[in-house]
Structures are given as C-alpha cells and as structure tokens.
Amino acid sequence: MNSSNNVERHPKTVNPNSSTFSLSVNGERHTLTLDNRTTLLDALREHLQLTGSKKGCDHGQCGACTVLVNGVRINACLSLAVMHEGDDIATIEGVGEADHLDPMQQAFVDHDAFQCGYCTPGQICSAKAVLEEIQAGLPSHVTYDLNTPIELNDAEIRERMSGNLCRCGAYANILKAINQVAEARS
Amino acid sequence: MKAFSYERVSDPAQAAARAAEVPGAKFIAGGTNLLDLMKHEIEIPEHLIDVSGTGLDDITPTNEGGLRIGALVSNAALSADARVRKDYAVLSRALVSGASGQLRNKATTGGNLLQRTRCPYFYDTGMPCNKRSPGAGCAALGDGATSRQLGVIGTSDTCIATHPSDMAVALRVLDAEVETVTSSGETRRLTLDEFYQLPGDTPEVENALQVGEMITAVLLPPPVEGHHAYYKVRDRASYAFALVSVALIQASDGTGRVALGGVAPKPWRRDEADAVLSQGASAVMARLLDGARPTQENAFKLTLAERTLAALLAQE
Ligand SMILES: Cc1cc2nc3c(=O)[nH]c(=O)nc-3n(C[C@H](O)[C@H](O)[C@H](O)COP(=O)(O)OP(=O)(O)OC[C@H]3O[C@@H](n4cnc5c(N)ncnc54)[C@H](O)[C@@H]3O)c2cc1C
Ligand code: SF4
Ligand code: FES
Ligand code: FES
C-alpha cells in the first residue's frame, strides 16, 4: 500500500517502551524521545513547557486540553504524542500575543467570557475551530436541514461548544464573545 | 497506565497478522476510548499497533450502489459527507448526536463500533464486573446498585450492560455490514447482528472478531427511501450517552424499520417489530421489547422507548 510514505513517518523505536518522533508546534519543529504512554497534552505541558493547554479531566470529558492538529480540534489528553509524528499542532500559545490579541481572545476579554480562566485556552481553540467547521459545512446535532448551508445561530454555537465545560459558568459570555467574532467575519 | 511497546503499520493485512503474532497486542485508531480505558487500567495492552496510517480513510461507491466507509474515516467526516447527508441521513444524525466536536474529529468508524460499555461498575475497578474480570460477579445486579443507564433486553444474569454507540444503531437500521481482514489475510463480511454478541455466560466476548482480525470497512447497501430520523434521549441536551435512542426509516406508506440504542448489549432491532410499524409505536414496542427484563431502576426505559418512537412518528 502506501508504505514508502509511512516508512518516512514511522517513529524510530529507541527501546521497547519509548520512541523518538518529530512534530511541529506553533510552527516550530521538535524532535522528542518519550515514553510511549505520553499523551499529546503531557508532551506539550511537561516536555515542551507549553502549559497553556490545561488538564481538567484527562478523560475527554471537559475540553480544557483542546488543541488543533493539522487545523482540526481534538482533545490532547486522549491522544498519544507518538501518534503525531509529522503533525502540525497549534496551541493557545500560537494564537495571538499579549500586545496583539487574536480577535477571539479580544472578544473573550471584551465580554468577560471567563472567571478563573482555566477552561479559557480550550474554549478559545475550540471556538476558533467551530467557526471554521460551520463555514466548511460540518453538520451538528441542531442543524435542521442537512442539505443546505448551515445557519450560524446561538443554538449551533452552543451545541458545537458542548465539549468545553466551564466550572465558573461563563457560558453566556462565551456565547457573546464567539458571536462577536462570527459577526465581524461575516 | 501500564507501559507498552508501539508500532505503526501501513497495511491492514499486516496489522492483522501482527496483532495475532505479538502477545497482548491491540489496535489503536483514534484512541478516544482505548486510552481512556488504559488510563483506568481496564485495558492493559502490552503492545499497540497504530492503524491510523493504513490508508482506510476514504468513502467510496460500491458496485451494488451503496457506500464503502473505510474503518479510519472519522465520525466528523462521515457525518459531513454529502452522500451520507443526502441518502443516509439517519447515520449523519446519529453521529452528530454522539460525543463532542473534538471527539468526533478523532473517533473512527472502526473504533466507534468497538467502543466498550459505559456501565459505571465496568469503569470502577474497585467493584466486581464479569465483563472486566470473568467470574467476578456483576455489581450492577447487586442490591441497591445504580442500574438506571443499563440494559433492559438481550441482557443476561451475568451482565446487563448496554452498547453505547449511536452510530451503530443507525448502521443496524441501514442493514450495514462490517468488512474485516483476518490474521491469515482473508476478508470477511458480517451483518451488525452477526458482529455483536449477546452477553450470555461470556459478557467479556462482545463481538465475532477473531484474534488479530481487523475491521477494514463498513458497507452501506443502496439507499433506503423514506424519512430518516434519529432521536436520542439523554440526561442533558448534548455531550451525554443515550438513555434511549430510536433510529427510524419510514416510507410514505407508513412502513419501515426501527432500531433502538441505550436498551441492549447491541443495537436492537427485530423483523417482527418492523412489520407492524404502520400500526404505531405501541404495536412496534410490544414486539421489539417482548421478553424485556428491566431492573426496578431502568423499567422507565420501556415507556420512554415507546414514547420516543411515538414522538418521531407524530413528526411525520
Ligand atoms: C467524553 C466522551 C463522550 C462520548 N460520548 C459518546 C456518545 O454520546 N455516543 C457515542 O456513540 N460515543 C460516544 N463516545 C465514544 C466515542 O464515540 C468513541 O470513543 C470512539 O468512537 C472510538 O473510536 P476511536 O477511533 O477513538 O477508537 P480507539 O479508542 O482507537 O479504539 C477503540 C477500540 O477499537 C479497537 N479498534 C479500533 N480500530 C479498529 C479496527 N479498524 N479494527 C479492529 N479494532 C479496532 C481498538 O483496539 C479498541 O479496542 C464518547 C467518548 C468520550 C470520551
Ligand atoms: S452490567 Fe456488565 S459491565 Fe456492568 S458491572 Fe455487570 S458485568 Fe460489569
Ligand atoms: S483534559 Fe482533555 S478533555 Fe478534559
Ligand atoms: S472560567 Fe473558570 S472554568 Fe471556565
């Protein structure tokens, strides 16, 4: 099959329980040798010191660890780092800078869309992906007609953001923040 | 999590052969169920075979006029495929009712079929569970146990867990088949009914896969005409497993097919129930749930299933 392609992507086994592999994070390439058990989230936080992505539950239930892999949002806690050989990872550290915020970050500030802030990096990464997913026509549970372009409304945003929990209950303001960016884009 | 060795394979037959050859080997695809269970040390593989590079990520037309869904196609990509949305809407609806946007991006078709039960005692390693440790007993059947989410039919005296997949319920109503490759390189095709096994005395055996056998695709027959619907009832509006779900395909003359999720160890469908769909929800459920053995806590599922179907039929 496509083995030539995969030989190149195959991580080198160093000892039976660890592997060496390369991935790129926020545009910077890293080669890591890690225990196979290391999740993408732990690789980012413990080995690359990118502690923006948070560990809320470590079981796919809260969304605090949401990052983008090749542009697609996933839970970094339920993915093995070694399986990301060759991937482009984007974390909150790559979204804007303190003196030059991304529009989604600015909207979260404008609308007071957080209290403790623990869920916020995941919320922002997820929210940015949600707008892309709607634009790409990915249906959701509340999409009424599967065969027409998706209407951007509160119900769609809420449903699509349901994988990101907020213990402080900032949901109403998170919704306002996402709407602000969506309106500016349209 | 216990330590394991890791390899990436590029060919499904090679993956199956390796899985049969290496002791304690398991496949990993999206990892969203397996890693969760490995963290709890409910699954303890010694070797992981990463099948995400096997190239099975296409949806292609079949000669029979249906679709062949590669085992690695993500739940998100499958739900969004234009052909699935148009001709197999029940599948698209079932997929988007499951998990979260992040999880659906990672979850694969093969992994979704093989996700394990959400019985709270299966997850609690301090409690006895026949599925986790055969012969240990079943905490869900003990006095005062929480069985609200568990099964009402097809269960046994050793296990009353349900299969939690939404996707599989839609695939059952569509008469989909599972295509596999065995460790000796042969291809097999199984209906979903043949694929999933009832617990009986061996609740640890959940499906008909042989040692090393890998799912390569799900085959959809030609489209089934009619109104497609999937109605999932759960404790919150999103990001929760089904208490009861109903997959329905109904033609304009009122005939059609029904499958249930959240009630049994496999997606639940019976020909004799389909045969009376035009007579309404209570006629269907009298046949579909005949022989049910609910617990006191989950007997509500029988009424809920009937009302959920009635609600769907009223929407027509
Ligand atoms: C918080 C949370 C909420 C969820 N909610 C829902 C829900 O509401 N509805 C729902 O349906 N699901 C839900 N899920 C489950 C989710 O759908 C599954 O975790 C996912 O579909 C599994 O796919 P995967 O590719 O990640 O599987 P993996 O975790 O990679 O694998 C699962 C199993 O399948 C085996 N396997 C994988 N691919 C193959 C193959 N090709 N051949 C043979 N064996 C294979 C693996 O060895 C493993 O045993 C939820 C999950 C989480 C974490
Ligand atoms: S119902 Fe099945 S999965 Fe749950 S505790 Fe009993 S044996 Fe285990
Ligand atoms: S830490 Fe990953 S979903 Fe909670
Ligand atoms: S702001 Fe505190 S958890 Fe969301």
Side-chain angles (χ1 to χ4, degrees), chain A residues 1 6 10 16 36-37 58-61 66 73 75 77-79 83 126 137 141 143-144 146 159 162 164, chain B residues 1 4-5 8 11-12 29 32 35-36 39-40 50 53 79-80 85 93 102-103 105-106 234 238-239:
Chain A
M1 302 205 71
N6 274 287
H10 199 300
N36 292 333
R37 288 173 285 191
D58 214 19
H59 288 281
Q61 298 176 352
T66 304
R73 62 177 170 147
N75 304 101
C77 72
L78 284 189
S79 199
M83 290 177 74
S126 206
H141 178 57
T143 303
Y144 182 71
L146 289 178
E159 163 60 24
S162 75
N164 291 84
Chain B
M1 207 191 294
F4 55 86
S5 47
R8 189 175 238 265
D11 175 67
T32 61
L35 289 173
D36 186 17
K39 289 180 185 192
H40 288 290
D50 177 356
S79 74
R85 288 156 74 159
R93 293 283 183 206
Q102 291 95 314
L103 288 161
N105 281 336
K106 204 88 219 305
R234 44 188 159 173
S238 186
Y239 205 16

Side-chain angles (χ1 to χ4, degrees), chain A residues 114-117 119 166-168:
Chain A
F114 45 82
Q115 287 179 40
C116 76
C119 71
C166 174
R167 251 210 70 173
C168 303

Side-chain angles (χ1 to χ4, degrees), chain A residues 99-161:
Chain A
D99 52 0
H100 189 73
L101 296 182
D102 178 87
M104 192 63 78
Q105 290 170 317
Q106 186 61 53
F108 269 62
V109 173
D110 293 349
H111 292 280
D112 209 5
F114 45 82
Q115 287 179 40
C116 76
Y118 196 79
C119 71
T120 313
Q123 300 279 3
I124 289 177
C125 288
S126 206
K128 285 173 66 68
V130 161
L131 296 183
E132 299 301 330
E133 288 170 8
I134 291 177
Q135 197 166 20
L138 203 78
S140 86
H141 178 57
V142 299
T143 303
Y144 182 71
D145 186 339
L146 289 178
N147 298 301
T148 55
I150 289 152
E151 191 192 327
L152 205 156
N153 55 35
D154 288 358
E156 283 284 1
I157 294 174
R158 282 202 177 96
E159 163 60 24
R160 288 164 193 272
M161 289 297 292

